[in-house]
Amino acid sequence: MKSLRWFGLCLALASCGSDLAPAELVEGRDLCASCRMPVSDRRFAAQITAPGELPLFFDETGCLGEFVKGRQGKAPAAIAWVADHRTRVWVRADRAVYTRVPTLQTPMNHRLLAHETAASRDADPDSRGGRPVALPEIFGPQGPPHGSES
């Protein structure tokens, strides 16, 4: 009986954590929570996940930043994710490396790229000619939602 309760507790804890994992994006169907345009290019996409909530998708990091600045402190358990522009892998927004490239065309012209690491950024030809951007410039002083963990 104890092992059955332990299994139930482990299953419950595992399911809670899965709400905070990045959701699967359907390009061209999922809409940006900020500007309502279809998210059409995963290289620029972002999202917010929270326990028990549907994910909020964004067509680029700049839209996510505007959304977060307007809602600081509203969802403490939420986690923001950005797609690594080069690899398209989801990365926690609070751990990503950001670059603004003035000549780059992005969905809403924020001209921001996100990368998992500086090495990924350096390997991405689209990031050439850009300048590093700090989290507060994009997301405000509190940064992007990062859940209860840091």
Side-chain angles (χ1 to χ4, degrees), residues 38-130:
V39 180
S40 59
D41 191 339
R42 178 165 175 156
R43 296 175 306 154
F44 300 103
Q47 64 176 282
I48 295 176
T49 57
E53 301 289 332
L54 292 173
L56 298 176
F57 290 103
F58 300 88
D59 60 353
E60 69 170 89
T61 301
C63 286
L64 169 64
E66 289 174 355
F67 184 86
V68 167
K69 284 178 183 176
R71 299 177 192 272
Q72 285 289 351
K74 303 261 193 228
I79 294 180
W81 304 88
V82 292
D84 181 302
H85 182 266
R86 187 178 65 83
T87 66
R88 296 174 173 79
V89 170
W90 291 112
V91 178
R92 281 183 46 149
D94 61 327
R95 297 178 182 164
V97 174
Y98 298 94
T99 308
R100 188 175 309 276
V101 183
T103 58
L104 185 69
Q105 293 300 309
T106 62
M108 294 301 292
N109 292 319
H110 291 279
R111 294 171 168 76
L112 282 170
L113 296 180
H115 292 92
E116 185 172 14
T117 63
S120 181
R121 177 199 60 213
D122 295 345
D124 187 346
D126 286 342
S127 68
R128 290 193 184 109

Side-chain angles (χ1 to χ4, degrees), residues 28-41:
R29 189 193 79 187
D30 289 318
L31 300 178
C32 177
S34 180
C35 70
R36 307 306 300 161
M37 286 181 51
V39 180
S40 59
D41 191 339

